[in-house]
């Protein structure tokens, strides 16, 4: 593997000296996401395998090209999990792409996002330097938190090599409850319930139906179920997986799909577009044609941001534009990690 | 820190005070030595310096004005919260401005439904939880210094507490911060949503030791107060067995709300201080807490007790009331002041290690303690591998501080060797700056500087802290290459 790292490092150095962009990829399961891809492919799939996993430490270290499936299978065998419930979108998903896109699944508001569980990374920066930040321990404040900075940076700051995570035991019991309620009520309830000591691990609202997943120790799940009411759902695992991976019919057509990340208490957005709400109200998927400028303004006015997630016209930018003061810092950071702008240029459209 | 000659300082002080007095209310500017004295050190009192002058802004506009003057005059700025930091993060620079955030002491608003609070950086950590208690909510990270430390300082250090194994560190419990850049511009980092476009600057700034921007407001997450919490207190006749018990708890699929260890010397010190009835015969004591609904707690406590006994606990008691729970915790929470009572000075180490390295690390600590003739009490965030050996010394005895620092340096190098880190939660500051040379390569440290320059091109915010220069590391390397030994160490020196 050290040979492979050597050759990856060489590729980056060469690209830097020839000024030819590199398009870093793993299983291409999330290549639809972010700004348009350009550059020579840099495939990380050969850089694969679990480096270290000791369940009693709650720490896992893996190579970026490792299939997500392989990692989750290993964790499952020890009764543990990646607590951010990573979306696959395709079976080919790797852990590197998971961290680079920074996308988390239904459990996110209740347990945390990818960035919350990344403890350390080894990367190659745009100069071809092999660098390690953070570590394999749960608490670590030596140096700036470059590892979390890598999370969601779309590979524009470095090629991810090794990543360490904090993992958690899998809850022993799980049940999903179904309620019929309108959008406003669902948003209100989700927020009220989140303020109570209830073992909620996922929430969803779509077309007048709210779903609430409870996970934890048997006694706690049972008590919460009695408190909340609703009706138990059979085969709920498939429901949450289809939502996580956008396999539900709502997500399957070719309409532009937008990811609206808003404060969880935001009242119904009334956008006149088909909608699916999760994350206790903090994530709202809408699809269909929309005036981007009007939409962004509206979402910004409630304190959120809008991303064009899949399909649609990327020429107006995929991500929400940054305030000038932040844009300047972003440009500076990009120049610091990748002075020749060769790593995934344009994947975070507005500044790289 | 290289200080300027006194006369130059006096001249710069007068010139700078002239500029600042025009833009600040009179009581927000301190220039007299006697007024500056309270700011001369933080919790790492071995390092002291008087700042050139101190400012106490009360509004964001004042912070902006001060930083614009600093940028124009290329003057360094060190922010200060409550000054409880243990690594010298807030130690003033003799040729710099010390900016106290103490007047930013308001809770701006609380949103019960969204479970968030907007607070100014000078607000004390514990005050937030007190303020929202009536809503059944609280702010989870609970450093032992929580009655005094400020939320701005917590953000700068990414502080943890005894409950962070389950509830996370500061970085996991904040949503948004308002920052003023060294150029005096305001920036909102993070948002009231769960994520923001662009890079994760919120994570980058958290733990950056006041070197990237001045925090003027923090939006924290509030979490529901568990209905019930109980703690198991288990005694062990051997520190290694206690270490195994920690691993076994985690191995049993339990994430305790808190999991802390104290060794014999620490237990004796705290028992003498708080009289909580700790087992004085035990070589190590574990405190293992469960919280949640009564049903959840009952189930989990039973599991915890089983694991403790199976791991060889010689005694095991579980709190039966809230007052008893607080009593069990009181000693752990007061460990630092308790140790402060049995020794004129103490020095707290903050290394983190993978838990499996616990036993050899503790053994080595004991050896070093003997070798250097200094007592050492161990308290330990066992659940997350964060050690706090407290070395007892007397600064008035010649050579004791130097010997203490030598023990600390050796232990931190050991933490690095075991794949751990030199600081779990207290920050690098000036204290551990040399060990940064061992933990990171030249290229990695240069990357840190590049990150700093992306925010602060002229390196004016808290410079000289946290990240050592190449030169400094070269110097440290030369010292270490000679094996920590002085040249001709075989010749006696008097
Ligand atoms: C008895 C005792 C127990 C402790 N227990 C714990 C513990 O359990 N866990 C733990 O993590 N720590 C602990 N600490 C360490 C300390 O309390 C924390 O590091 C705390 O966060 C420091 O907060 P402060 O307000 O005192 O910051 P200060 O010491 O004043 O400053 C710390 C750093 O923050 C920067 N800073 C402060 N305010 C701002 C701002 N507004 N903007 C930008 N930068 C700023 C300063 O420049 C400095 O670098 C303990 C300390 C003591 C003395």
């Amino acid at each position: 593997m050290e040979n492979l790292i050597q050759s990856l490092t060489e590729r980056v150095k060469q690209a830097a000296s020839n000024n030819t962009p590199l398009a870093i990829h793993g299983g291409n399961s999330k290549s639809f996401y972010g700004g348009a891809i350009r550059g020579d492919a840099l495939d990380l799939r050969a850089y694969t395998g679990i480096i270290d996993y000791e369940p009693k430490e709650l720490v896992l270290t893996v190579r970026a090209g490792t299939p997500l499936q392989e990692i989750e299978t290993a964790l499952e065998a020890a009764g543990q999990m990646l607590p951010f419930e990573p979306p696959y979108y395709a079976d080919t998903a790797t852990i590197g792409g998971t961290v680079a896109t920074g996308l988390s699944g239904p459990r996110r508001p209740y347990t945390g996002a990818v960035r919350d569980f990344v403890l350390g990374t080894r990367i190659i920066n745009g100069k071809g330097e092999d660098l390690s930040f953070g570590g394999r321990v749960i608490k670590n404040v030596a140096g700036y938190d470059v590892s979390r900075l890598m999370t969601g940076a779309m590979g524009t700051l470095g090629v991810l090599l090794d990543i360490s995570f904090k993992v958690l035991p899998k809850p022993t019991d799980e049940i999903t409850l179904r309620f019929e309620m309108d959008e406003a009520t669902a948003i209100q309830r989700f927020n009220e319930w989140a303020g109570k000591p209830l073992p909620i691990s996922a929430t969803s609202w779509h077309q007048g139906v709210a779903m609430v997943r409870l996970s934890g120790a048997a006694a706690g799940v049972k008590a919460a179920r009695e408190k909340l009411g609703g009706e138990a759902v059979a085969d709920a695992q498939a429901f949450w997986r289809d939502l996580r991976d956008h396999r539900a019919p709502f997500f399957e057509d070719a309409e532009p799909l937008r990811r609206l990340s808003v404060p969880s208490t935001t009242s119904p957005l009334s956008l006149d577009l088909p909608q699916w709400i999760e994350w206790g109200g903090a994530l709202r998927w809408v699809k269909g044609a929309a005036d981007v400028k009007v939409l962004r303004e509206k979402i910004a006015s409630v304190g959120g941001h809008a991303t064009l997630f899949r399909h649609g016209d990327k020429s107006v930018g995929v991500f929400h534009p940054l305030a000038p003061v932040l844009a300047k810092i972003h440009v500076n950071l990009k120049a610091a990690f990748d002075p020749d702008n060769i790593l995934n240029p344009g994947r975070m459209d507005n500044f790289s | 820190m290289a200080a300027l000659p006194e006369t130059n300082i006096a001249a710069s002080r007068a010139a700078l005070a002239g500029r600042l007095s025009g833009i600040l209310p009179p009581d927000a500017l301190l220039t007299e030595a006697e007024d500056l004295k309270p700011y001369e050190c933080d919790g790492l009192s071995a390092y002291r310096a008087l700042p050139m002058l101190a400012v106490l802004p009360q509004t964001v506009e004042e912070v902006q004005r001060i930083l614009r003057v600093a940028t124009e005059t290329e003057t360094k700025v060190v922010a200060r919260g409550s000054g409880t930091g243990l690594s010298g993060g807030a130690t003033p620079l003799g040729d710099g401005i010390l900016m106290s955030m103490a007047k930013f002491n308001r809770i701006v608003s609380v949103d019960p439904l969204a479970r968030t609070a907007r607070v100014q950086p000078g607000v004390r950590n514990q005050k937030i939880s007190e303020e929202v208690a009536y809503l059944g909510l609280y702010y989870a990270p609970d450093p032992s210094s929580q009655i005094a430390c400020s939320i701005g300082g917590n953000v700068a250090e990414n502080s943890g507490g005894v409950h962070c194994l389950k509830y996370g560190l500061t970085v996991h419990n904040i949503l948004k911060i308002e920052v003023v850049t060294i150029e005096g511009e305001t920036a909102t980092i993070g948002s009231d949503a769960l994520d923001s476009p662009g890079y994760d600057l919120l994570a980058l700034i958290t733990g950056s030791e006041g070197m990237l921007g001045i925090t003027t407001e923090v939006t924290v997450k509030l979490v529901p107060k568990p209905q019930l919490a109980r703690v198991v207190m288990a005694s062990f006749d051997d520190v290694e067995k206690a270490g195994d018990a920690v691993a076994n708890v985690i191995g049993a699929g339990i994430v305790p709300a808190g999991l802390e260890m104290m060794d014999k010397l620490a237990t004796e010190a705290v028992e003498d201080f708080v009289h909580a009835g700790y087992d004085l015969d035990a070589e190590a004591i574990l405190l293992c807490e469960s919280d949640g609904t009564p049903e959840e707690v009952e189930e989990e406590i039973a599991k915890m007790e089983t694991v403790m006994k199976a791991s060889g606990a010689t005694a095991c008691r579980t709190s039966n009331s809230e007052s008893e729970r607080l009593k069990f915790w009181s000693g752990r929470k007061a460990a630092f002041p308790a140790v402060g009572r049995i020794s004129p000075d103490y020095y707290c180490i903050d290394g983190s290690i993978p838990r499996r390295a616990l036993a050899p690390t503790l053994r080595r600590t004991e050896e070093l303690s003997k070798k250097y003739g200094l007592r050492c009490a161990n308290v330990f965030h066992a659940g997350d591998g964060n050690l706090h050996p407290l070395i007892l010394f007397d600064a008035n005895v010649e050579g004791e501080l130097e010997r203490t620092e030598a023990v600390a340096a050796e232990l931190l190098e050991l933490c690095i060797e075991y794949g751990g880190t030199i600081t779990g939660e207290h920050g690098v500051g000036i204290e551990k700056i040399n060990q940064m040379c061992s933990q990171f390569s030249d290229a990695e440290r240069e990357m840190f500087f590049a990150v700093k320059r992306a925010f602060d091109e002229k390196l004016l915010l808290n410079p000289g802290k946290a990240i050592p220069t190449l030169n400094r590391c070269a110097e440290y390397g030369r010292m270490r290459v000679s094996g920590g030994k002085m040249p001709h160490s075989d010749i006696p020196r008097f």
Side-chain angles (χ1 to χ4, degrees):
Chain A
M1 284 297 168
E2 287 304 313
N3 286 345
L4 185 53
I5 292 176
Q6 194 90 48
S7 77
L8 288 168
T9 309
E10 279 314 312
R11 281 282 308 273
V12 175
K13 279 188 187 151
Q14 232 164 50
S17 66
N18 306 339
N19 236 313
T20 48
L22 292 172
I24 310 160
H25 74 88
N28 276 317
S29 65
K30 297 168 185 74
S31 50
F32 64 83
Y33 177 66
I37 294 172
R38 72 190 170 87
D40 300 339
L42 187 70
D43 188 346
L44 264 289
R45 279 173 304 178
Y47 190 67
T48 182
I50 293 175
I51 299 172
D52 189 18
Y53 173 42
E54 172 53 64
K56 286 184 178 178
E57 297 280 340
L58 295 181
V59 176
L60 164 82
T61 304
V62 291
R63 297 193 182 92
T66 315
L68 197 48
Q69 191 75 68
E70 184 182 324
I71 293 169
E72 293 211 301
T73 307
L75 287 166
E76 177 85 47
Q80 297 188 336
M81 63 175 185
L82 291 171
F84 46 91
E85 210 175 352
Y88 282 68
Y89 298 122
D91 294 341
T92 53
T94 63
I95 193 72
T98 302
V99 172
T101 54
L103 297 168
S104 305
R107 202 181 293 274
R108 190 270 174 256
Y110 307 100
T111 319
V114 192
R115 57 89 90 169
D116 291 316
F117 293 93
V118 168
L119 299 176
T121 52
R122 177 177 178 184
I123 64 161
I124 304 172
N125 69 4
K127 293 189 250 181
E129 292 170 332
D130 175 353
L131 309 169
S132 295
F133 299 101
R136 297 183 190 186
V137 284
I138 289 171
K139 278 161 85 180
N140 188 353
V141 291
Y144 303 128
D145 199 340
V146 173
S147 301
R148 288 199 166 91
L149 181 66
M150 291 296 140
T151 313
M154 301 293 289
T156 60
L157 299 178
V159 180
L160 288 165
L161 292 177
D162 304 340
I163 310 154
S164 293
F165 296 94
K166 178 180 174 185
V167 298
L168 287 179
K170 232 178 130 118
T172 47
D173 271 59
E174 197 151 280
I175 187 173
T176 295
L177 304 173
R178 180 183 189 279
F179 303 82
E180 296 204 359
M181 57 177 78
D182 64 22
E183 184 186 353
T185 312
I187 293 168
Q188 178 75 21
R189 289 283 178 280
F190 289 166
N191 280 285
E192 285 169 4
W193 288 336
K196 303 248 153 47
L198 295 165
I200 297 178
S201 71
T203 41
S204 150
W205 179 88
H206 181 54
Q207 291 184 327
V209 175
M211 301 280 237
V212 176
R213 186 176 69 189
L214 303 169
S215 318
V221 169
K222 186 162 163 279
R225 184 192 169 176
E226 278 156 21
K227 212 168 285 172
L228 292 181
E231 168 201 331
V233 178
D235 201 20
Q237 267 190 335
F239 171 81
W240 294 111
R241 189 200 52 219
D242 289 354
L243 172 57
R244 181 194 73 190
D245 287 344
H246 288 182
R247 288 203 276 182
F250 172 88
F251 297 101
E252 285 200 325
D253 52 33
E255 299 268 336
L257 175 69
R258 287 192 166 77
R259 177 187 190 276
L260 311 179
S261 176
V262 295
S264 63
T265 51
T266 308
S267 355
L269 291 165
S270 312
L271 295 172
D272 241 352
L273 295 169
Q275 182 187 215
W276 196 314
I277 299 180
E278 51 171 332
W279 291 12
L283 184 56
R284 306 189 188 182
W285 300 99
V286 294
K287 62 174 183 176
D291 181 328
V292 179
K293 202 162 164 274
V294 173
L295 183 80
R296 280 181 183 162
E297 261 165 37
K298 168 142 196 176
I299 300 305
S301 75
V302 300
H305 64 104
T307 307
L308 178 61
F309 194 74
R310 212 194 259 263
H311 311 300
D313 175 16
K314 290 187 174 183
S315 66
V316 284
V318 172
F319 297 101
H320 210 100
L322 300 170
V325 58
L326 294 184
K328 193 166 80 187
I329 294 171
H330 277 71
V331 169
N332 292 346
L333 281 171
K334 172 71 174 166
F337 282 88
D338 179 21
D340 298 305
N341 194 24
I342 50 153
L343 301 177
N344 281 1
R347 258 342 258 291
M348 284 191 98
D349 53 34
N350 30 18
F351 48 83
S352 74
Chain B
M1 248 135 286
L4 293 176
E6 266 308 312
T7 46
N8 287 2
I9 296 258
S12 315
R13 176 187 291 130
L16 192 63
R19 297 271 318 252
L20 292 171
S21 63
I23 58 168
L24 290 173
D27 63 347
L29 177 63
L30 306 176
T31 53
E32 298 302 319
E34 58 181 343
D35 296 329
L36 297 174
K37 191 96 173 128
Y39 302 102
E40 69 176 350
C41 68
D42 64 2
L44 182 73
S45 53
Y47 294 83
R48 287 166 200 266
L50 282 189
M52 183 158 63
L53 51 78
V55 290
L56 292 93
Q58 191 158 21
T59 65
V60 174
E61 291 69 31
E62 286 170 10
V63 173
Q64 289 181 276
R65 282 186 225 135
I66 295 165
L67 294 180
R68 281 192 204 114
V69 169
T71 294
E72 258 175 57
T73 55
E74 303 207 356
T75 311
K76 300 164 189 170
V77 180
V78 178
R80 179 186 175 96
S82 305
T84 68
L86 292 171
S87 54
T91 308
L93 301 175
D95 55 351
I97 298 172
L98 189 281
M99 174 146 46
S100 164
M101 300 304 283
K103 288 187 180 172
F104 279 81
N105 59 1
R106 277 188 318 115
I107 294 185
V108 181
S109 62
V110 174
D111 185 337
L113 188 62
R115 294 146 279 122
T116 59
R118 283 171 56 202
V119 303
Q120 293 189 327
V123 169
R124 290 176 297 109
N125 171 299
Q126 185 165 293
K127 174 135 186 258
I128 304 172
S129 293
E130 287 167 1
E131 202 79 8
V132 300
Y134 75 101
L135 295 166
L137 300 171
Y138 76 114
Y139 174 66
D142 58 343
S144 305
S145 51
Q146 70 185 139
I147 50 165
C149 65
S150 73
I151 192 74
N154 291 174
V155 171
E157 303 288 5
N158 192 17
S159 300
V162 299
H163 289 98
C164 61
L165 179 62
K166 183 165 173 184
Y167 293 100
L169 307 159
T170 305
V171 71
H172 304 106
N173 287 281
I174 58 176
L175 276 176
K176 180 171 87 171
I177 54 178
E178 300 293 338
V179 167
V180 180
T181 67
I182 185 66
E183 274 142 12
E185 285 183 283
T186 57
T188 302
I189 292 180
S191 77
D192 291 319
L194 289 177
D195 43 40
S196 313
Y199 297 139
D200 197 337
L201 301 186
L202 188 61
L204 190 62
I205 291 202
T206 309
S208 67
E209 305 195 18
M211 296 173 73
L212 303 182
I214 301 295
T215 306
T216 55
E217 191 180 293
V218 185
T219 301
V220 300
K221 294 188 207 170
L222 303 171
V223 292
K225 214 170 155 48
Q227 273 170 281
L228 181 68
R230 294 178 72 195
V231 61
V232 177
M233 181 163 74
S235 313
F236 293 85
D237 56 13
D238 177 62
V239 176
E240 267 176 60
K241 280 190 203 158
D244 290 342
V246 170
N248 294 340
V249 168
I250 308 283
I254 304 170
V255 180
L259 184 49
E260 298 283 316
M261 190 193 290
M262 293 190 289
D263 74 357
K264 192 166 188 158
L265 183 54
T267 308
E268 280 167 8
V270 301
E271 178 59 21
D272 209 32
F273 188 40
V274 301
H275 309 292
Y278 292 113
D279 181 352
L280 294 174
D281 295 325
E283 286 298 320
I285 282 185
L286 285 184
L287 289 165
C288 185
E289 180 155 289
S290 169
D291 67 7
T293 62
E295 300 85 2
E296 288 170 323
V297 172
E298 195 189 320
E299 196 176 314
E300 201 168 72
I301 286 280
K303 273 203 220 167
M304 287 173 175
E305 288 171 340
T306 310
V307 174
M308 292 298 172
K309 282 175 194 151
S311 309
T314 51
C316 198
R317 281 165 66 194
T318 302
S319 64
N320 279 314
S321 65
E322 184 61 9
S323 65
E324 194 176 23
R325 182 182 78 89
L326 294 176
K327 198 162 127 193
F328 284 6
W329 274 116
S330 63
R332 171 59 191 92
K333 286 248 178 183
F336 291 9
V339 165
R341 286 173 77 234
I342 61 166
S343 171
D345 299 283
Y346 68 88
Y347 190 100
C348 175
I349 300 175
D350 181 40
S352 254
I353 47 166
R355 271 187 302 265
R356 61 187 152 209
L358 175 60
T361 308
L362 288 176
R363 264 200 305 276
R364 184 75 189 132
T365 309
E366 210 181 310
E367 282 165 23
L368 287 171
S369 151
K370 288 210 180 97
K371 174 172 154 195
Y372 287 93
L374 296 164
R375 287 183 300 164
C376 178
N378 282 288
V379 296
F380 181 36
H381 300 299
D384 33 42
N386 189 193
L387 306 159
H388 288 328
L390 301 170
I391 303 170
L392 314 190
F393 73 103
D394 184 346
N396 290 323
V397 175
E398 199 174 321
E400 282 214 351
L401 175 62
E402 290 69 23
R403 267 170 24 231
T404 303
E405 289 186 321
V407 175
E410 278 199 45
L411 272 178
L412 295 182
E413 299 286 346
L414 189 70
C415 291
I416 300 173
E417 249 169 67
Y418 282 127
T421 178
I422 58 174
T423 174
E425 60 178 10
H426 295 163
V428 174
I430 45 180
E431 184 207 10
K432 306 173 200 80
I433 195 155
N434 284 339
Q435 284 75 38
M436 286 292 283
C437 306
S438 311
Q439 187 163 340
F440 295 98
S441 70
D442 288 354
E444 286 155 358
R445 278 180 269 106
E446 284 311 295
M447 207 63 248
F448 287 143
F449 272 117
V451 168
K452 173 148 178 67
R453 279 192 295 268
F455 289 79
D456 171 18
E457 206 193 323
K458 295 178 176 166
L459 307 181
L460 295 176
L461 277 172
N462 215 3
K465 311 283 179 75
I467 314 159
T469 58
L470 289 178
N471 275 340
R472 188 182 180 114
C473 286
E475 192 62 35
Y476 181 61
R478 273 194 291 279
M479 256 167 58
R480 271 170 37 83
V481 170
S482 50
K485 291 190 212 106
M486 308 291 287
H488 311 293
S489 59
D490 45 332
I491 303 172
R493 276 157 205 275
F494 299 102

